[in-house]
Every structure is written in structure tokens, then in C-alpha cells.
Amino acid sequence: MKTLTLLLVAGTLLAQPAPPLTFDMKDPKGVSGLSLKIDSLLEPVRGHANGVSGSIVFDPAKPEKSTGKIVIDASSVTLGSADMTGAMHGDWCLEVAKYPTMTFVVTKIDRVKKTGEGQWNARVSGDFTIKDVTRSLTANASVSYLPNMIKKRGGLRRDGDLLKIVSKFSIKRSDYKVSPDLSTDLIGDTIEIDLATIGVAPK
């Protein structure tokens, strides 16, 4: 009877699902980032930011239960010229000295659809904060869970798992008090954002 009990306990332990994984969203290779596009009558603007960090707790068995946040270093946002980048970092626009980060905090994940092994599409809702303004935001995202792929990709000596997140969405700069008085003929109100980021969970 004792042997049978031990076997049952061992079997139960083996059957336990793996716990959720915590991914550091600061890419050790520094490749992750986002691009932004603002179109207007007079000034088409293109930019990039590579200062992505944050933390995502991801459960491969239940992706819809995942939580966490993405953080963008506001000073890493650059535009086509140094003068324009410097101006954007200033008090009239992003005020990076006062508000050094922009954040997206996940509040809900739904419409999860598996598209392949370790791959899903989902709708992600959250609170997006720029400067002192927070607005609710919902965007579609694709997620890839890549176990034991850190060494294959490079960037760390230890192996472990990767989490890739790709999403496209848009915001209104007027909603976030980003140069609200600036004419939309010069700088458009809609900012299109394309995020592609990798998180790591070393073992």
C-alpha cells in the first residue's frame, strides 16, 4: 500500500503543470524596439525607439492569464534628424527629463487563438501612460513562446526561454498632451506604432 501511495504521489507531482514564466523584456542584444509614423500635410515623420524593458509573466498553458508591463525609455525615441529629436525631447513635447518613461500595463487578454506550436494571436488591453496621462488601449498582438532558444539567438551565456511579442496600434498625441497646440498640418495627430520585442527567461 505504501508503494502504491508513493507511486500515486509521484504521478501527481509529475502531472503538475509548469508554473508561469517571468520574462525580462530588456533585450540583452538590444535589438528590440518600436517604430513610429506620423503623417501630416507638411511633415511626414518617422522615428524609432530601442529602450524597451519591463516584465511579462507568461503562462504557455493559459496565455490569457499573462500579466505584466512594457516600458519605453522616452529618451531613446529618435526622429530623422538630431535637431528634431532634441526638440521632441524638450518641454514642448515629451518632456523626457520630467517623464523618463512611457508604460503599457496589461489589464486583460482575450480572443486568444493558437496559430502554431508555441504561437498565438490575441487581443491585449491595458493602460498606456505618456507623461502624466493614462488612457485605456486595446491592440492585437502576436506572441511566440520559444523554449531553450536563448543560446541559439545569442546575447546571454546561459540558456533559457524567449518570448517574442509583435503588435501594431495607434494613439492620438492630443490624448496624451503631446504638443496639443501644434497644428496637425505640421505634425499629424495620429501616431502609428509598430512594436517588436523579445523577452528572456534564463534558466
Side-chain angles (χ1 to χ4, degrees):
M1 181 62 71
K2 181 182 288 187
T3 301
L4 178 58
T5 301
L6 289 173
L7 287 173
L8 289 172
V9 171
T12 301
L13 291 173
L14 289 173
Q16 293 298 315
L21 298 165
T22 299
F23 287 87
D24 181 353
M25 301 309 295
K26 186 174 182 179
D27 180 4
K29 293 183 70 174
V31 176
S32 294
L34 62 84
S35 62
L36 60 89
K37 179 173 74 172
I38 311 171
D39 277 333
S40 67
L41 178 65
L42 302 174
E43 193 88 272
V45 175
R46 301 294 183 270
H48 183 76
N50 61 2
V52 181
S53 62
S55 178
I56 298 292
V57 179
F58 180 76
D59 187 346
K62 297 180 179 179
E64 68 278 4
K65 299 295 184 181
S66 301
T67 60
K69 68 179 180 179
I70 299 292
V71 180
I72 307 297
D73 178 357
S75 66
S76 76
V77 181
T78 60
L79 300 181
S81 71
D83 287 344
M84 184 174 284
T85 296
M88 179 189 60
H89 289 177
D91 292 345
W92 73 281
C93 194
L94 289 181
E95 299 182 79
V96 300
K98 186 176 181 180
Y99 305 105
T101 61
M102 299 174 279
T103 61
F104 178 79
V105 179
V106 177
T107 58
K108 181 180 179 181
I109 300 174
D110 61 5
R111 298 186 184 179
V112 177
K113 180 181 179 181
K114 190 168 185 176
T115 57
E117 185 61 33
Q119 298 180 325
W120 301 265
N121 288 336
R123 185 174 68 173
V124 181
S125 299
D127 294 327
F128 192 36
T129 301
I130 299 178
K131 296 170 67 171
D132 60 345
V133 180
T134 299
R135 302 282 188 184
S136 296
L137 174 68
T138 298
N140 293 323
S142 63
V143 179
S144 298
Y145 168 57
L146 306 167
N148 303 310
M149 285 292 184
I150 286 181
K151 278 192 173 180
K152 185 173 182 178
R153 179 177 184 259
L156 290 175
R157 292 184 179 181
R158 297 166 60 190
D159 205 2
D161 302 345
L162 298 173
L163 185 71
K164 183 175 75 172
I165 302 173
V166 176
S167 181
K168 293 182 180 181
F169 56 94
S170 64
I171 61 173
K172 299 288 187 182
R173 65 177 174 86
S174 56
D175 286 344
Y176 293 92
K177 299 180 183 179
V178 176
S179 307
D181 299 326
L182 187 66
S183 168
T184 54
D185 285 346
L186 183 60
I187 300 293
D189 192 36
T190 300
I191 304 174
E192 297 180 38
I193 297 173
D194 188 343
L195 171 71
T197 186
I198 286 274
V200 295
K203 294 181 178 179

